Amino acid sequence: MADRLFQGIADQIVALIDEGVFPPGTRLPGERELAERFNVSRVTIREAEIALQAVGVIKIKTGSGVYVADRGARGDDALPKVSALELTEARSLFESEAAALAAPVISDEALDRLDELLAAMATEEDDEKSTEIDREFHMLIASGSGNAAITHVIRTLWRLRTELPEIRHTHESVCHHDGMTRQDEHASIVEALRGRDPQAARLAMRRHFNRLLGSMLDATEEQAISELKRKARESRERFLMSAKIG
């Protein structure tokens, strides 16, 4: 429930924009002012703004502020609303083939950099920095395929991974507990690339995403059960209260 609070705030900001309170081109109030206005934390405001930027409603300009986008431009850079499962499925398809294409042609320099990133993954504890290392790892393999179109697609998929808050939350809930497993999977991918084996590289990448999909399904199921129990508990408390009154 807490993770979805930002979405309600995002909807309220959109409503204010549509009502003309914040016209296109104007700068939104700062995080602190919006947090006080909606009685939420600044972190929630930040998440709401990231979500609105992802769908093209606002533009965040570093060092300048947050601005309302023109209505006609809203769809230009907007990202589609997808689930973490849909994104992971798409990444598996494209990144597995990118790894297969990269295996025969990826440079020795790129392979050495992948080894450096593996070492960094093993020691980095900050989630945001770990995500950036992971992104560089996968994008290096994508560019190593030598196919600019595939590289562009995978770069866009990574925008979904990093810019859509719900997907970020899902990854954080899963990846926080499987560091050693991911490390081994990434090492297997690099080993296949060093062996110049397209089929092994494809399978190693696919296994990585298949395991991630399974972990996400487990996490989704646990969240659904937890929410069901919460609702049942609330109903129980309410009906017991009614029984006491009677």
Side-chain angles (χ1 to χ4, degrees):
M1 292 292 289
D3 286 348
R4 298 181 182 276
L5 178 59
F6 73 87
Q7 192 59 61
I9 300 302
D11 292 341
Q12 292 184 59
I13 293 174
V14 170
L16 291 172
I17 291 172
D18 291 341
E19 290 167 9
V21 177
F22 303 130
T26 60
R27 184 177 181 275
L28 286 182
E31 284 181 4
R32 180 177 298 175
E33 184 178 338
L34 288 175
E36 292 174 355
R37 180 175 192 145
F38 295 113
N39 194 30
V40 295
S41 69
R42 293 176 66 176
V43 172
T44 299
I45 296 297
R46 197 171 305 127
E47 293 282 84
E49 290 179 341
I50 291 171
L52 291 176
Q53 177 176 245
V55 295
V57 173
I58 63 174
K59 293 183 178 181
I60 300 175
K61 300 180 180 179
T62 304
S64 177
V66 180
Y67 295 84
V68 180
D70 292 333
R71 290 181 182 276
R74 281 192 185 183
D76 291 351
D77 297 316
L79 296 173
K81 184 175 177 58
V82 301
S83 71
L85 293 171
E86 289 174 313
L87 173 60
T88 304
E89 182 180 52
R91 287 186 63 196
S92 178
L93 290 170
F94 281 98
E95 296 201 39
S96 296
E97 293 309 308
L101 287 173
V105 297
I106 192 168
S107 69
D108 290 337
E109 290 78 13
L111 289 170
D112 289 342
R113 178 57 182 160
L114 288 173
D115 284 336
E116 292 174 358
L117 292 171
L118 278 175
M121 286 178 192
T123 58
E124 184 57 64
E125 296 182 357
D126 181 81
D127 288 341
E128 190 171 333
K129 290 180 181 177
S130 292
T131 298
E132 197 51 46
I133 293 169
D134 192 32
R135 181 186 183 279
E136 184 180 349
F137 180 91
H138 284 274
M139 286 308 307
L140 193 56
I141 295 171
S143 60
S145 72
N147 187 308
I150 289 177
T151 303
H152 173 74
V153 170
I154 293 174
R155 185 179 295 111
T156 302
L157 292 176
W158 263 95
R159 282 193 61 203
L160 293 169
R161 161 72 177 85
T162 57
E163 295 183 30
L164 295 181
E166 287 197 42
I167 291 179
R168 289 211 326 274
H169 285 308
T170 300
H171 273 271
E172 287 167 5
S173 66
V174 171
C175 296
H176 188 70
H177 304 289
D178 65 357
M180 288 303 299
T181 303
R182 284 191 301 129
Q183 183 75 7
D184 291 342
E185 290 167 353
H186 284 129
S188 295
I189 294 167
V190 176
E191 182 181 355
L193 291 171
R194 277 203 178 276
R196 305 295 179 181
D197 188 334
Q199 181 64 4
R202 178 187 290 113
L203 290 175
M205 186 69 79
R206 190 170 293 161
R207 288 192 196 100
H208 172 51
F209 284 112
N210 284 348
R211 195 271 312 161
L212 182 57
L213 273 171
S215 297
M216 285 181 175
L217 286 168
D218 290 342
T220 301
E221 183 176 313
E222 288 176 7
Q223 289 170 5
I225 292 173
S226 177
E227 180 65 11
L228 189 61
K229 287 182 177 178
R230 184 190 65 79
K231 289 181 178 179
R233 186 169 58 251
E234 290 178 352
S235 295
R236 179 183 176 83
E237 291 172 356
R238 181 170 63 82
F239 286 118
L240 283 175
M241 187 179 295
S242 298
K244 289 178 181 178
I245 292 174

